[in-house]
C-alpha cells in the first residue's frame, strides 16, 4: 500500500512538472527549409502551386501511405482546399490563400486536428539562373498548451528538408 501511494505521488509529480515546464515553453513555432533545383523557375512553380502534387513530395504523406485525401475547388487557385485524415500523422486541412505566379509564391493556411487557428505557410520559387531555381518552404504558427512542449523534442525543419529533397528528386528526373 505504501508503494502504491509513493508511486501515485511520483506520477502526479511528473505530470505536474511537465505541465509547469509547458507553461514556460514558447507556443509560437517556425520551421522551414530551402533547396536548389536544376529546373527553370516556371517549371518548378507550376508543379508546387498544385496542392495535389504535394502528396508526392511532402514527408508527412510518405510516413503514411494510407492517408485519406480530399480536395475541393480548382487546384492551383486561391480557395482550393486539401483535407487529410491519418492515424500516423494526424488530421488537418490546408487552404490555398494566394497564388502569385509573377513572384513565384503560394501562401497557405494550415489547420491541424480540427483547430480553428490558421498556421501560415508559403512556398517561394526564385530563379537562380535560367536553368535553376531556389525553393523556400516555411511555416509559422502556434501550438496550444500543453502540446507546445513537443517543440522541445520535435524538429519540423527535418520534415521540410526531406520534403524539398523529394521535390528535387521528382523534378530533376
Amino acid at each position: 500500500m505504501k508503494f502504491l501511494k509513493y508511486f501515485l505521488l511520483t506520477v502526479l509529480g511528473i505530470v505536474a512538472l511537465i505541465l509547469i515546464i509547458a507553461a514556460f515553453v514558447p507556443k509560437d513555432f517556425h520551421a522551414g527549409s530551402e533547396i536548389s533545383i536544376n529546373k527553370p523557375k516556371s517549371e518548378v512553380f507550376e508543379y508546387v502551386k498544385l496542392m495535389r502534387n504535394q502528396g508526392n513530395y511532402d514527408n508527412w504523406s510518405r510516413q503514411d501511405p494510407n492517408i485519406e485525401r480530399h480536395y475541393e475547388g480548382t487546384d492551383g487557385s486561391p480557395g482550393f482546399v486539401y483535407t487529410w485524415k491519418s492515424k500516423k500523422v494526424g488530421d488537418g486541412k490546408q487552404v490555398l490563400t494566394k497564388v502569385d505566379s509573377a513572384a513565384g509564391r503560394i501562401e497557405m493556411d494550415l489547420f491541424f486536428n480540427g483547430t480553428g487557428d490558421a498556421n501560415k505557410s508559403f512556398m517561394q520559387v526564385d530563379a537562380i539562373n535560367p536553368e535553376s531555381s531556389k525553393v523556400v518552404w516555411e511555416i509559422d504558427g502556434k501550438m496550444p498548451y500543453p502540446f507546445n512542449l513537443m517543440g522541445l523534442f520535435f524538429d519540423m525543419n527535418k520534415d521540410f528538408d526531406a520534403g524539398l529533397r523529394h521535390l528535387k528528386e521528382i523534378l530533376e528526373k
Side-chain angles (χ1 to χ4, degrees):
M1 187 69 157
K2 208 175 201 184
F3 170 77
L4 185 59
K5 178 181 174 182
Y6 286 120
F7 176 75
L8 290 175
L9 285 173
T10 301
V11 169
L12 207 80
I14 291 170
V15 169
L17 180 64
I18 289 170
L19 293 174
I20 290 169
I21 291 170
F24 294 99
V25 173
K27 291 176 183 68
D28 295 333
F29 70 88
H30 172 83
S33 187
E34 64 181 59
I35 199 165
S36 297
I37 298 178
N38 295 319
K39 289 290 179 178
K41 173 185 174 181
S42 61
E43 188 175 333
V44 175
F45 183 75
E46 287 303 310
Y47 189 84
V48 300
K49 81 173 187 180
L50 299 175
M51 300 306 299
R52 290 177 191 260
N53 288 339
Q54 195 173 42
N56 299 332
Y57 60 87
D58 78 62
N59 206 43
W60 304 279
S61 294
R62 289 172 174 255
Q63 291 175 32
D64 184 0
N66 298 316
I67 195 166
E68 286 182 44
R69 295 181 180 90
H70 300 280
Y71 306 99
E72 297 174 34
T74 303
D75 200 356
S77 300
F80 182 76
V81 178
Y82 160 45
T83 56
W84 67 91
K85 290 185 185 239
S86 169
K87 292 181 181 175
K88 290 186 179 178
V89 297
D91 302 341
K93 176 172 81 170
Q94 185 168 329
V95 180
L96 191 56
T97 58
K98 183 178 181 181
V99 178
D100 187 339
S101 297
R105 183 178 176 101
I106 62 170
E107 296 179 6
M108 301 145 292
D109 284 349
L110 275 88
F111 304 88
F112 298 113
N113 296 320
T115 62
D117 296 327
N119 297 288
K120 301 294 187 178
S121 179
F122 74 88
M123 291 186 87
Q124 176 73 43
V125 182
D126 293 311
I128 296 172
N129 60 49
E131 295 303 316
S132 64
S133 307
K134 177 177 88 169
V135 179
V136 177
W137 189 11
E138 295 184 0
I139 186 170
D140 288 291
K142 291 186 181 294
M143 281 195 157
Y145 171 86
F147 301 106
N148 59 319
L149 192 62
M150 291 187 322
L152 295 176
F153 307 102
F154 181 67
D155 182 8
M156 264 201 310
N157 292 312
K158 292 178 185 177
D159 289 315
F160 283 93
D161 287 340
L164 288 177
R165 282 194 310 273
H166 298 310
L167 176 65
K168 181 180 178 80
E169 289 171 14
I170 290 167
L171 293 177
E172 289 185 355
K173 278 186 181 179

